[in-house]
Amino acid sequence: LWEDLTVTLPYEFTTSLRNTCDAPVSFEWQNLSTDAVQFAVAPSSGKLNVGEMAQLTVVATPLRAGTFTHELECALLAPAGKKSGASLVVSGRAIGPNVVLHAQELDFGLIGVGKSASMTLELSNSSPISANVTFALHSAKLAKSLPTLEAHQAKIEFEPSELEIDPRG
């Protein structure tokens, strides 16, 4: 089980595949992608003589945060056309950015038409992964890249251009 894999970064481990049959076999790895993790096995195919072993490198690249378990399938084919298979189960947990907004709400109070008020909003990213953050306030939009292990402040200004009365009171 791999723990705390960072999303979009590749991780690798080595393992081996041994031919314990009484004849040479060809192998080919299959089922290498999911919507959560992309896998690669090298060599992805080959031939093993009786008793021979191949050193394999497995690379996993998480595509999104969360836990995963996936069975990598290896098709085996003996010279007489006999098919069989082997599998390798890989599981782990991938982590993504951890962005924290340090305010539960923004209350600008009463602001008259043509007047403005501003507040400072603080965001922090406590993970080793950069995060792109976008705020949309009706028709206004603020986009900011939030580097790893950093905090930033954004000044939010509100200037009503017309008076609108909420029908709910």
Side-chain angles (χ1 to χ4, degrees), residues 64-125:
R64 66 173 191 224
T67 58
F68 63 88
T69 298
H70 186 66
E71 185 174 4
L72 303 175
E73 299 168 2
C74 185
L76 302 171
L77 179 62
K82 184 178 177 185
K83 294 181 181 180
S84 62
S87 65
L88 176 64
V89 177
V90 182
S91 61
R93 182 178 65 210
I95 59 170
N98 185 30
V99 176
V100 177
L101 174 62
H102 297 280
Q104 295 302 315
E105 67 178 57
L106 295 175
D107 185 355
F108 288 94
L110 225 44
I111 305 168
V113 173
K115 303 291 183 190
S116 67
S118 64
M119 298 181 77
T120 301
L121 186 64
E122 184 175 345
L123 297 170
S124 63
N125 180 6

